[in-house]
Amino acid sequence: MPAFSPSSRIFSRLAAGLGSLMLVGLLSGCEDVDTTNTFAPACPKFDVPGQVADRITYDGKGLDAAHRLTSTHILGVQGDCRTGPQDEQKRPMTRVRVSLNLQLERGPAANDNTVTVPYFVAILQDGSIVDKKVFTETVKLPPTVSINHSSTPLRFIDVPTGNNPQISPYSMEIGLQLNHAELDYNRSHLRTAQFHEHVQ
């Protein structure tokens, strides 16, 4: 599957470390839509806020390396856009298909063989969130594996196409769903994430 690009219909962002903020998603059915002989509409502009690109969990006994359970990092987001089904008002819709590339690290205090990863997709219009969807993915991380790379299943998000299919009226933010303590930790301990854009 291609990777998103803010200038074309496809883009990809690589995150080198950190996490924070909101994301929204309009989730609809999973049926495929026949887009034969049609041009794909433009994808929303895309971002992964630095403070929500990482999630580090501890066992509650301390914040040093010995008490770390897991570290989860968003390495990239892949997806594409195509013509979606019309909504109830018969408006044209753009179907955004999104999958996250994750890196998971097992910490010294980890006892479980799976890691639960909550993440969000947010849809923004004119800088304001108009919807948000939180997803949860469970990833296997057996005791013999210290680092695992995984991709989440495709999520289908439908947004109105707008008057000009070549320019999306929306933008998207994607990140790990953090609680207040995890967000405060990222803000005070982690360096600012550096994102690199690749256009295909």
Side-chain angles (χ1 to χ4, degrees):
M1 180 172 57
F4 283 108
S5 153
S7 57
S8 64
R9 294 172 183 156
I10 342 188
F11 59 70
S12 165
R13 292 238 182 199
L14 299 180
L18 225 92
S20 131
L21 196 44
M22 340 157 258
L23 264 120
V24 154
L26 295 130
L27 185 68
S28 77
C30 296
E31 73 280 359
D32 286 332
V33 176
D34 184 6
T35 57
T36 306
N37 300 323
T38 62
F39 292 100
C43 281
K45 292 183 179 179
F46 173 84
D47 191 24
V48 177
Q51 292 181 1
V52 288
D54 301 277
R55 181 173 182 254
I56 302 175
T57 61
Y58 292 89
D59 61 6
K61 300 177 182 178
L63 295 179
D64 54 45
H67 296 289
R68 181 168 53 85
L69 295 173
T70 59
S71 300
T72 303
H73 313 282
I74 298 177
L75 298 182
V77 178
Q78 303 222 359
D80 57 23
C81 291
R82 56 183 58 191
T83 301
Q86 292 182 339
D87 66 5
E88 295 178 354
Q89 288 77 40
K90 304 298 182 182
R91 294 181 303 175
M93 303 290 285
T94 298
R95 170 156 292 178
V96 185
R97 305 192 309 165
V98 177
S99 174
L100 274 64
N101 298 329
L102 303 174
Q103 175 177 297
L104 299 99
E105 301 177 18
R106 186 181 183 88
N111 294 317
D112 295 334
N113 294 333
T114 60
V115 180
T116 299
V117 181
Y119 63 98
F120 67 87
V121 177
I123 304 298
L124 295 84
Q125 186 175 27
D126 298 326
S128 299
I129 291 181
V130 296
D131 197 9
K132 176 180 178 179
K133 184 70 177 179
V134 178
F135 303 98
T136 301
E137 179 68 14
T138 300
V139 181
K140 291 183 178 180
L141 193 62
T144 56
V145 176
S146 59
I147 298 178
N148 182 34
H149 292 88
S150 178
S151 295
T152 64
L154 274 178
R155 304 295 185 180
F156 295 169
I157 300 166
D158 291 347
V159 298
T161 302
N163 296 327
N164 185 353
Q166 297 182 356
I167 302 175
S168 176
Y170 298 94
S171 60
M172 297 177 63
E173 290 183 349
I174 297 176
L176 300 173
Q177 183 69 27
L178 307 177
N179 59 35
H180 290 296
E182 292 166 344
L183 182 55
D184 289 342
Y185 179 89
N186 283 359
R187 287 172 171 168
S188 60
H189 288 80
L190 300 182
R191 63 187 177 85
T192 303
Q194 301 296 318
F195 297 98
H196 304 280
E197 182 178 302
H198 293 262
V199 178
Q200 296 184 353

